[in-house]
Amino acid sequence: MGRLGQGLRSALAVVAVAGGLLKLVAAQDCYANSTINGYTFDVDNFYSQDQLDDFAQNCTTLFGDVGFGSNFTGSAVLRNLQNITGLVTVGSNLTSIEFPDLLSLGGLDASSSLLRVVSLPLLERVNDIDVEEAQSLNFSSPNVLNASSIKLTGQISALDFSHLDTVFSELYIDGSSLKKSFNVSLPALRNASDVEISGNLSSLSLPLLATAGSSSQQAGLTLYNSGKPINMSLPSLSNVNGTLSLDGGIAGIYLPSLLNTTADLVVDTSSSLAVYLPSLIGANKISLEGAISSANFSSLEYFTSFDIQSNIYIDCATSLPSNRTHQGETSCSGAAKPTNNSGRAISIGVGVGVGVGGGIGLIIIVIWVYRRNLKHKKRASEAVANLDVYGLQEQTHSAAVAVERPNTDPPPYSRY
Ligand SMILES: *[C@@H]1O[C@H](CO)[C@@H](O)[C@H](O)[C@H]1NC(C)=O
Ligand SMILES: *[C@@H]1O[C@H](CO)[C@@H](O)[C@H](O)[C@H]1NC(C)=O
Ligand SMILES: *[C@@H]1O[C@H](CO)[C@@H](O)[C@H](O)[C@H]1NC(C)=O
Ligand SMILES: *[C@@H]1O[C@H](CO)[C@@H](O)[C@H](O)[C@H]1NC(C)=O
Ligand SMILES: *[C@@H]1O[C@H](CO)[C@@H](O)[C@H](O)[C@H]1NC(C)=O
Ligand SMILES: *[C@@H]1O[C@H](CO)[C@@H](O)[C@H](O)[C@H]1NC(C)=O
Ligand SMILES: *[C@@H]1O[C@H](CO)[C@@H](O)[C@H](O)[C@H]1NC(C)=O
Ligand SMILES: *[C@@H]1O[C@H](CO)[C@@H](O)[C@H](O)[C@H]1NC(C)=O
Ligand SMILES: *[C@@H]1O[C@H](CO)[C@@H](O)[C@H](O)[C@H]1NC(C)=O
Ligand SMILES: *[C@@H]1O[C@H](CO)[C@@H](O)[C@H](O)[C@H]1NC(C)=O
Ligand SMILES: *[C@@H]1O[C@H](CO)[C@@H](O)[C@H](O)[C@H]1NC(C)=O
Ligand SMILES: *[C@@H]1O[C@H](CO)[C@@H](O)[C@H](O)[C@H]1NC(C)=O
C-alpha cells in the first residue's frame, strides 16, 4: 500500500499526552502531490480508511485536491483536517463521506449513485458544491455561511444548510425522485443568485430570502413542485431579477414583500389556485397558466403585459388588474363554466382581451421559455475524476489530464 505522506512538507510536533491517549496536533501544512506517468498533480488520492487515518496524523491544512480510489468502498472519515484549499472529488464507490473537523473547503464534487451521506458539521467556507446523481442523499453542512454555488441533483432525502446566508452565483437543488418527497428548508438564506429548487417537495421554507437573481443576466428564481400542492411562500422576497417562476403543485402563493419589480412573474400551476397578490404594484410581464381559478392583483399599476390562460373556469372580469393607470396589455381565457352537475367542463376558451395601450382582441401566444440550460458545464474537476476513477494507467488519458488540470479554477483563498 502506497504511503501518501510523500508530499508532506512540514510536519510539526505531534505531542503525545497521557501515554498517547490524546494527541495534540499543531497546525500543519501538507501539499497534495501525486506523480502519474511522469506528470505531477496537486492531488492526493486515498484508497482506504487506514490511509486517511495516517494522513490525518500530520495534516491540518491540505494545499491541493483530494480524490478517492474506486476500490475505496463504504465510508470515508477524514479527521483532523481543517482546511482543504482545493477540490474533493468523490467519483467512487463511497457511500458516506465525513469531514468532522473541516472548516474550509475549496469545493466538493461528487457524482455517485452510491453516496448517501455527506457530513461537514463544522464547515464554514466553501466555494462550490456539486453533487450529482445522488440517491437518498443526506447532505449536512449546518455551519456554511456562504457559497459561490451549490448544486445538488438526484434523490434527496435530507438537507441541512441551516446557517446558509448567501449564494453568490447559483443555487440549484433538483430532487428528481417522483416517489419520495423531501423538505427544503433554508432558514437563514437571505440572498441567492440564480435559484432553482425543484422536485417532489413536501414543504418549502425560505423565510428570509429577500434578494434573488442579483448577479447575472439570466438570473432568476424558479420553484417547481412535482408533488402534492404546497404553499409557495416567500415572505421576505423584495428584490428579484430575471424571472420569478412558480410551477407545479401550488396550494397558495404568498409574496407580501414583493412590491415593485422589474422581473417577469410566471405561474404555471397543476392544482387549482387562486393567485392572490394584492401588494404587487409593478412587474414586467405577468403570465398565469394552468389551473388558475382566480387572480387578485388589486394594486398592480405597472406592467408590460398581463396574461391569464387558465385551463379551468375563471371569471376574467374580476381577475384582470383593475387599476389600469399605465400602459400594459392584458388578456384572459379560461375553460367554459360547466353547464350542469356532470362536472365535465367543455374546453371552449372564453377569451377577454383588453388592450390598454393599443388594440383590442389579442392573439395569445404563450411562449414557454425554458430558461435554464440543464446541461451542466464541464465539471472543473473532470480531470481529477478521470484520474481517480477511470484508471491511472492510460497514457493518453493522463496526458490529457495533465493539460486540462490547470483549468481548475483555484478558490480565491487558495495559494495556487
Ligand atoms: C507523521 O509524522 C510522524 C512524526 O513526525 C511520522 O513518524 C509519520 O511517519 C508521519 N506520518 C505520515 C503519514 O507521514
Ligand atoms: C512531489 O513529489 C515529487 C516526487 O515524489 C517531488 O520531487 C516533489 O518535490 C514533490 N513536490 C512537492 C510540492 O512536495
Ligand atoms: C486500490 O487501488 C490502488 C490503485 O489502483 C492500489 O494501489 C491499492 O492497492 C488498492 N487497494 C486495495 C485494498 O485493493
Ligand atoms: C467501484 O465501482 C466501479 C464502477 O463505478 C466498479 O467497476 C468497481 O468494481 C467498483 N469497485 C469496487 C471495489 O467495488
Ligand atoms: C443526516 O445527517 C445528519 C448528520 O450527518 C444527521 O444528524 C441527520 O439525522 C441525518 N438525517 C437523516 C434524515 O438521516
Ligand atoms: C462569507 O462568509 C465569510 C465567513 O465564512 C465572511 O468572512 C464573508 O464576509 C462572507 N461574505 C459575504 C458576502 O457575506
Ligand atoms: C446579494 O449578493 C450579491 C452578491 O452575490 C451582492 O452583490 C448584493 O449586494 C447582495 N444584496 C443584498 C441585498 O445583500
Ligand atoms: C418534512 O417536514 C415535516 C415537518 O416539518 C415532517 O413531518 C416530514 O416528515 C418531513 N418530510 C420529509 C420527507 O422529511
Ligand atoms: C437586478 O436588480 C437590481 C435591483 O432591482 C438592478 O439594479 C439590477 O440592474 C438588476 N440586474 C439585472 C441584470 O437586471
Ligand atoms: C415602480 O417601478 C416603475 C418602473 O419599473 C416606476 O416607474 C414606478 O415609479 C415604481 N413605483 C413605485 C410605487 O415605486
Ligand atoms: C390606482 O393607481 C393610482 C395611481 O396610479 C393610485 O393612486 C390608486 O390608489 C390605485 N388604486 C388602487 C385600488 O390600488
Ligand atoms: C485555509 O487556508 C487558506 C489558505 O492558506 C487560508 O487563507 C484560510 O484562512 C484557511 N482557513 C481556515 C479556516 O483555516
Side-chain angles (χ1 to χ4, degrees), residues 213-214 216-217 239-242 262:
S214 52
S216 84
Q217 274 330 87
N239 186 0
V240 59
N241 280 52
T262 54

Side-chain angles (χ1 to χ4, degrees), residues 6-9 31-35 40 416:
Q6 62 174 183
L8 196 65
R9 257 192 194 155
Y31 294 83
N33 183 350
S34 305
T35 305
T40 302
Y416 292 85

Side-chain angles (χ1 to χ4, degrees), residues 119 138 140 158:
S119 171
N138 177 359
S140 175

Side-chain angles (χ1 to χ4, degrees), residues 144-157:
V144 166
L145 295 176
N146 52 46
S148 173
S149 79
I150 295 176
K151 290 194 270 179
L152 304 174
T153 63
Q155 283 183 33
I156 294 164
S157 95

Side-chain angles (χ1 to χ4, degrees), residues 38-53:
Y39 294 98
T40 302
F41 305 93
D42 54 340
V43 55
D44 273 349
N45 279 297
F46 295 97
Y47 302 95
S48 70
Q49 184 60 44
D50 285 348
Q51 281 187 327
L52 289 175
D53 291 340

Side-chain angles (χ1 to χ4, degrees), residues 11 39 95 126 150 154 180 184 209 280 296 314 319 344 367 410:
Y39 294 98
T95 54
V126 63
I150 295 176
K180 282 194 170 176
V184 173
L209 185 63
L280 191 67
N296 179 328
I314 183 167
S319 295
R344 272 179 62 202
I367 300 166

Side-chain angles (χ1 to χ4, degrees), residues 78-83 99-104 121-123:
L78 230 178
R79 291 179 211 286
N80 196 31
L81 201 57
Q82 295 176 359
N83 197 338
F99 292 89
D101 302 305
L102 198 63
L103 299 170
S104 169
L122 302 184
L123 190 71

